[in-house]
Amino acid sequence: MATGGVSVIIRARDEAAALTRCLSSLEGQRGLDEPAELIVVDGGSRDGTVAVARRHGARIIAVAPGPYSFGGALNLGAAEAHGAVLVALSAHALPPDESWLARLSAPLAADPRVACACGDAYGPDGEPLTVPIDQDEALARRRPEWGYSNAAGGFRAELWRERGFRADLGACEDKEWALHWLARGYVCHVDPSLRVAHDHTHDPLRAIYRRAHREAAAYADFLGPCRSTGAALLREWWSDRRWYDSAARARLSPRRTARLLGAHAGRRA
């Protein structure tokens, strides 16, 4: 049961170097009433990741052999956490400064309507985000791919205890969980100052395609099927330049093309 404070749940697998930097950054966090509880959920590492976690005093939870899911791993960590605010963090997501945890937990402490909080450099329409936004259900349904992220986000332990993350989803368990609570009157606080260094845009094209495919299939699961035609794919490729400073740059990006093709295939699966 949560007793107050902040618990950070870090998912890791063979990420010893990244986890060293992540845990060192978390140990230097200031502005909290007490040091954050550190929990590492390990997915069978063989590179010294567990030794790194042990050296930094983190509690270690091993994922049982078998199919892995992001939601399932986070549920394991959350079940062992004592904080009133739980923070999900990927091992390779590095907090930007020493007050990040305090800023992340502040909106959850200040406003009972806030179910979760995270950072983003861009707003829901792909333009640079300069001021915080409280995302509600209407905004989430308009742009379901934007909003709360378990790569680096905080959420209320009391809400998680009522309803955990869906372990059966291959991706987007964070968006599904947030939408559940937004539909019940809560909001997600998105603040550009909470953004962490966590970028998959330069992954290999095959990885980008597969990620987009998993995410599109997950959205179809909890939002309902979305008819995707070749004509719709072509229109999106031609006209939607979100996160790009020009339409030409967007159209010529092979990574964007891989993402669009993966999403198209995932919707049709």
Side-chain angles (χ1 to χ4, degrees):
M1 180 177 293
T3 59
V6 176
S7 298
V8 184
I9 305 163
I10 305 169
R11 295 163 295 161
R13 181 176 182 179
D14 292 332
E15 295 185 271
L19 184 62
T20 297
R21 294 191 295 271
C22 182
L23 290 174
S24 296
S25 175
L26 291 171
E27 287 172 342
Q29 293 291 303
R30 300 180 179 177
L32 299 173
D33 293 335
E34 57 188 82
E37 177 184 37
L38 303 179
I39 298 172
V40 172
V41 181
D42 180 69
S45 296
R46 299 180 178 180
D47 71 337
T49 291
V50 172
V52 169
R54 187 174 292 117
R55 190 160 58 246
H56 285 268
R59 191 185 322 176
I60 302 162
I61 299 173
V63 176
Y68 177 89
S69 79
F70 298 119
L74 280 172
N75 286 340
L76 285 175
E80 296 294 325
H82 296 92
V85 173
L86 306 184
V87 174
L89 190 64
S90 295
H92 52 274
L94 190 63
D97 55 59
E98 62 188 14
S99 64
W100 178 74
L101 272 182
R103 294 199 311 277
L104 180 62
S105 58
L108 290 138
D111 188 346
R113 299 181 310 123
V114 177
C116 47
C118 64
D120 204 321
Y122 297 93
D125 295 318
E127 297 300 322
L129 186 63
T130 58
V131 296
I133 292 178
D134 282 342
Q135 178 196 40
D136 59 11
E137 181 189 9
L139 180 53
R141 292 195 180 279
R142 180 166 68 85
R143 287 291 190 200
E145 74 279 10
W146 186 84
Y148 179 66
S149 172
N150 274 334
F155 56 98
R156 289 188 182 279
E158 61 183 313
L159 295 184
W160 175 85
R161 289 197 301 274
E162 289 188 36
R163 184 183 188 275
F165 296 105
R166 280 185 53 181
D168 62 313
L169 289 177
C172 304
E173 80 295 331
D174 42 12
K175 303 297 191 295
E176 192 278 337
W177 187 89
L179 183 60
H180 172 86
W181 293 109
L182 300 188
R184 286 152 179 80
Y186 289 87
V187 299
C188 172
H189 184 78
V190 184
D191 187 335
S193 79
L194 298 176
R195 178 176 176 265
V196 302
H198 179 263
D199 185 9
H200 287 285
T201 59
H202 298 290
D203 285 354
L205 297 182
R206 184 183 295 272
I208 292 174
Y209 177 93
R210 288 176 174 171
R211 176 182 291 271
H213 190 286
R214 287 196 308 271
E215 291 176 350
Y219 286 128
D221 182 282
F222 66 85
L223 292 175
C226 176
R227 187 168 178 266
S228 185
T229 65
L233 172 64
L234 184 60
R235 282 195 302 272
E236 186 174 4
W237 172 79
W238 182 260
S239 61
D240 186 352
R241 66 174 185 87
R242 281 176 294 160
W243 304 290
Y244 289 85
D245 56 12
S246 74
R249 188 181 296 274
R251 293 168 192 158
L252 294 174
S253 169
R255 290 181 170 82
R256 175 176 177 267
T257 299
R259 177 173 55 79
L260 291 175
L261 289 172
H264 174 73
R267 295 185 194 112
R268 293 169 62 89

